[in-house]
Amino acid sequence: MADTHPIQVVNLRKHFPRKRGLGSVKAISDISFNVEQGEIVGFIGHNGAGKTTTIKCILGLLKPSEGRITLWGNSPAESKVRNKIGYVPENPDYDDSFSPMEYLSMFADMRGLSGMGSDWLKLLKRVGLSKWETTGIRQFSKGMRQRLSLALALQSNPELLIMDEPTGGLDPIARKEFREIIIEENKRGASIFLSSHILSDVETICDRAVILAGGKLMAEGSMAQLLGEENLYRITVLSRKTGEEIEETIPEADLQSRIDHLRRDNLQITRVEMALKSLEDVFIDATAGDSK
Amino acid sequence: MKAVFTFSLMTLRMLFRRRTIWGILLVILLALAAIASVPSFDVSNQGRFILDFGLFGIELGALLLALGLAANLYPRDKETRTLMPLIAVPLSRWQYLLGRFFGAALVQAAALLVTCLGLMLILLFHKLPIPGDLLPATVLIIVEGWFLLSTVFFFSFSTSPPLNWPLTTMLFVVSQMSVVEFVNILPSAPGLMRAVRMLLPHADVFHIKDPIAHGFEIEPVYFFIAIFYGLCYSAFMLSLALAVFRGRDLK
Amino acid sequence: MIRCIISMTLLFALLVFASCQTDYDVAEVAPSEHLDVEHPAGPEQAEDETCEECDSEHSIDEQVEDSHAGHNHAQGSRNHGTQWFFNQPWAAPFIWGKLFRDAAIFLVLAVAVFIISGRKRRK
């Protein structure tokens, strides 16, 4: 049976040789994960965790030292696979003597797309560049270059959208627009692999997340699994010695017994509230001790 | 091949929009004008002088254009990160290399044809006859320019830009040497020198400025064979450049 | 690995070329009846000789052929590879053969390197 995973990464390792051939630096250590059809998968990790390296391996820009990467069961180097991908690079840049319309027309020709000028105008309008279609890219801000990058990635109606920090450096309104476009693309049927520092974005739109730290896979699962299906409660107790408030988070199942225990010890309970776990908490827990 | 064609046109437009090409072209044309202004003893000598040194100037122009146009193409693409969106999705590495090469080759050929036209105008200005083989001779120099361009591409993938200029220039100089001259560089190892020289290009096949300056008739078959040789050698250099590029990690 | 492929290719090319009998210096391979008996080493050596009268470097052959032409070089004589082609019509096949042989070998090598490096990349 043909492999239908848009992305399958198996035991990926990547190390870069040091200068003058003195050993090598491990960037990725034995990570494995999949992206299923129609999923939005968040790929999170601190700076230098190996996110961009992994993405470049997936795109064939870097050659894995060990392990296997397949896109729909094929090598990333296959042209039939590459035609189904849209890529938004981190800090994109383009030859600044061209305009967005020129870039879109040339990319369309290179990809063998049949779209016309009016299609590209619609696309530019969708990403918020409608008034800038013939302006030289040299006049563009970082955010505008990211919008152009998104337009180029969406141009071919890709089945897989790989995005490396697409909203970094964008203002809140632009970030919201980007999120909406990502959700629209997912509804159209595209699978999305989204690398981001902005955990709230990942938490809002992703079905699953893969957490990376120091080149190692620290956690992976659906949002429900990562955030915890069990409800947590936070109990605040007043210390008899110092008079300070002490917080304690415990699962719902243990809540009553813990309250009884505190009462038996004559401790004053000042507050009991539901503790909502965020992806940030999960990320900090998962990467604790391996932040750099 | 449509992707290569489109990317070539993109490269061509990009190069024409840069100042480099216009600067180099101006330098070559000024050099030709300077050659033409040197006084000579008689009309026939002046014609030979202008043709001989004019064609030599165009040949040096081919080297300058190859280096000026292509030495920084790939390093600049890499540094400014314009390479990533191109290589990641629409283009494979061989398409990128060929697209950049063909674009630069077209610009170089156009510039060299302009200099040939400049040489013709200088001859006309001095009321000297224009040899029929001047244009084919320029075509041979264009092919030599493409060989130099492919060499520049090879070095741009395998070394740093500051090394590209001296290495390509060195190869240009060495490729002009006869086997005997080359062996004389290191007479103690004639076998090795002979073998190395055989592998290096024979750019002297592109030089017909002397026969032309002396009004010698050149058979058309010579042009075809020399052009075929130049194109095959360029293909070889490009394949080596591609092999290096394919092995590169694009960090 | 790519370096290994390139090295092997260059080595192969080196071996192929080194095994060949003819090269661009036609004087080395020309039949004796075509060579000047007084200058058996051919034009390269002849070119190194200097005219005493004018103290400039041009060949003895030039002086014979072009003695009345002042300091001009003989037709095409400054081109190392092509001089025989233009001055000695019998030598043209040597040049053609050499050019064709080299061109064909470089073309085959180019295709081989293209295919091998492509296969290696797809693995």
Side-chain angles (χ1 to χ4, degrees), chain A residues 77-282:
Chain A
E78 299 283 336
S79 60
K80 65 177 177 184
V81 164
R82 292 151 61 90
N83 289 338
K84 296 198 271 185
I85 300 175
Y87 171 51
V88 181
E90 184 185 18
N91 298 325
D93 208 349
Y94 300 95
D95 198 303
D96 56 14
S97 60
F98 293 97
S99 69
M101 269 305 273
E102 284 178 312
Y103 245 102
L104 281 168
S105 306
M106 288 182 300
F107 265 57
D109 285 344
M110 283 190 252
R111 287 166 158 163
L113 301 176
S114 56
M116 292 161 64
S118 56
D119 297 323
W120 312 144
L121 280 174
K122 274 185 208 164
L123 189 56
L124 288 174
K125 192 177 175 186
R126 188 178 175 204
V127 298
L129 286 176
S130 58
K131 290 176 188 165
W132 306 90
E133 62 264 14
T134 54
T135 308
I137 296 172
R138 67 166 60 86
Q139 296 181 36
F140 278 22
S141 65
K142 187 184 173 191
M144 289 164 86
R145 283 167 202 250
Q146 276 173 311
R147 286 170 188 271
L148 173 61
S149 182
L150 183 62
L152 289 167
L154 299 179
Q155 187 180 31
S156 58
N157 292 323
E159 290 180 39
L160 172 64
L161 202 51
I162 298 174
M163 309 173 98
D164 192 1
E165 304 285 356
T167 54
L170 291 182
D171 60 64
I173 294 169
R175 267 175 51 202
K176 185 170 174 284
E177 288 170 1
F178 261 59
R179 279 202 305 268
E180 284 168 2
I181 289 174
I182 291 170
I183 292 166
E184 283 168 19
E185 285 300 303
N186 183 242
K187 281 181 182 163
R188 182 179 59 77
S191 311
I192 318 274
F193 187 59
L194 170 69
S195 160
S196 181
H197 271 132
I198 302 164
L199 301 180
S200 58
D201 284 354
V202 175
E203 194 175 339
T204 311
I205 62 175
C206 291
D207 304 313
R208 279 199 309 127
V210 176
I211 301 175
L212 210 61
K216 293 174 191 158
L217 191 73
M218 307 309 284
E220 187 205 352
S222 67
M223 281 300 158
Q225 284 170 332
L226 290 172
L227 297 174
E229 284 156 348
E230 196 174 24
N231 290 333
L232 293 174
Y233 283 84
R234 191 180 298 119
I235 304 174
T236 311
V237 183
L238 202 63
S239 168
R240 274 190 301 216
K241 287 180 184 170
T242 60
E244 286 176 3
E245 287 188 332
I246 301 166
E247 284 184 354
E248 194 179 348
T249 306
I250 51 171
E252 189 178 23
D254 301 335
L255 180 65
Q256 193 54 55
S257 62
R258 185 63 185 152
I259 290 172
D260 293 344
H261 183 80
L262 291 169
R263 280 178 179 158
R264 272 200 302 275
D265 290 351
N266 287 325
L267 286 166
Q268 188 184 341
I269 299 168
T270 56
R271 202 162 48 243
V272 177
E273 60 191 358
M274 241 183 133
L276 294 173
K277 204 175 179 185
S278 69
L279 189 60
E280 192 174 321
D281 298 326
V282 175

Side-chain angles (χ1 to χ4, degrees), chain A residues 52-83:
Chain A
T52 301
T53 302
T54 307
I55 286 178
K56 285 185 174 177
C57 287
I58 290 171
L59 290 163
L61 297 172
L62 294 177
K63 195 176 180 187
S65 305
E66 281 174 52
R68 185 168 55 90
I69 294 174
T70 53
L71 305 178
W72 295 282
N74 296 294
S75 159
E78 299 283 336
S79 60
K80 65 177 177 184
V81 164
R82 292 151 61 90
N83 289 338

Side-chain angles (χ1 to χ4, degrees), chain B residues 127-148:
Chain B
K127 295 180 177 137
L128 294 164
I130 296 172
D133 285 333
L134 181 56
L135 196 62
T138 308
V139 172
L140 274 190
I141 293 175
I142 288 172
V143 174
E144 185 186 11
W146 289 347
F147 149 67
L148 290 168

Side-chain angles (χ1 to χ4, degrees), chain B residues 33-62:
Chain B
I35 288 164
S37 64
V38 174
S40 190
F41 300 109
D42 54 62
V43 173
S44 90
N45 270 341
Q46 191 181 26
R48 283 182 191 181
F49 184 82
I50 291 174
L51 271 172
D52 201 336
F53 283 89
L55 282 168
F56 181 63
I58 294 176
E59 194 189 348
L60 281 184

